[in-house]
Amino acid sequence: MQPDKAAGVRGWLSKAANDVRGAHIDLDANPPLIEDALFHCQQAAEKSLKAFLTSHDTPFKKTHDLDELGRACMELDGSLSDSMQSVAALTVFAWEFRYPGDSQVPSMQEVREYLAIAQKLYTAILARLPHACHP
């Protein structure tokens, strides 16, 4: 892989890893920052998918739609389907709690499940990329 492309992929993956870390920190806070953790889960998944698409020279539009990004990734590698299960459910967290409103905040158990989904996807993407792309 060309060094410039590898650097771009590493950039997406580094941001995704930071979002996973941010979600953990948010959940360890007292009291937990649940809404912020959910945002980081969505962002980790989005950036992981964008890293994979970048590594395959597949253009994507500016979007937070994980279903759309996931479909594009699965067209390139169908073996991602297991890791993509439930990822689309994270899409709404790109905006759901960013502004005031009457949204129902998920339980800590649900948030931990969402974080597990994002981490599983990040790990699956990382496993499919050359070591030169790893952050």
Side-chain angles (χ1 to χ4, degrees), residues 61-81:
K61 65 182 183 181
K62 288 186 178 185
T63 184
H64 298 299
D65 186 340
L66 300 178
D67 189 44
E68 178 182 328
L69 294 167
R71 280 192 314 270
C73 289
M74 286 192 298
E75 286 177 15
L76 297 167
D77 185 343
S79 72
L80 280 170
S81 63

Side-chain angles (χ1 to χ4, degrees), residues 8 14 16 31 37 40 50 53 59 71 82 85-86 92 97 100 114 122 127:
S14 291
H40 284 299
K50 289 179 176 179
L53 293 171
R71 280 192 314 270
D82 182 51
Q85 289 180 4
S86 304
V92 68
F97 302 111
Y114 288 131
Y122 174 80

Side-chain angles (χ1 to χ4, degrees), residues 56-133:
H56 287 82
D57 296 316
T58 302
F60 51 87
K61 65 182 183 181
K62 288 186 178 185
T63 184
H64 298 299
D65 186 340
L66 300 178
D67 189 44
E68 178 182 328
L69 294 167
R71 280 192 314 270
C73 289
M74 286 192 298
E75 286 177 15
L76 297 167
D77 185 343
S79 72
L80 280 170
S81 63
D82 182 51
S83 301
M84 286 299 302
Q85 289 180 4
S86 304
V87 167
L90 300 175
T91 295
V92 68
F93 302 132
W95 64 83
E96 183 75 19
F97 302 111
R98 304 312 289 170
Y99 306 99
D102 296 327
S103 298
Q104 180 68 28
V105 177
S107 69
M108 276 294 282
Q109 177 59 36
E110 291 171 308
V111 177
R112 292 196 187 287
E113 290 169 10
Y114 288 131
L115 179 53
I117 291 166
Q119 287 179 294
K120 180 179 178 181
L121 178 64
Y122 174 80
T123 301
I125 296 290
L126 200 61
R128 286 164 174 79
L129 296 175
H131 189 69
C133 294

Side-chain angles (χ1 to χ4, degrees), residues 10-32:
R10 268 194 314 277
W12 282 114
L13 291 172
S14 291
K15 294 291 186 181
N18 285 342
D19 279 308
V20 169
R21 182 173 176 257
H24 280 286
I25 291 169
D26 287 341
L27 294 180
D28 289 341
N30 189 12

Side-chain angles (χ1 to χ4, degrees), residues 38-47 64 66 90-91 93-94:
L38 291 167
F39 175 73
H40 284 299
C41 290
Q42 187 282 334
Q43 287 290 289
E46 179 181 325
K47 293 166 187 170
H64 298 299
L66 300 178
L90 300 175
T91 295
F93 302 132

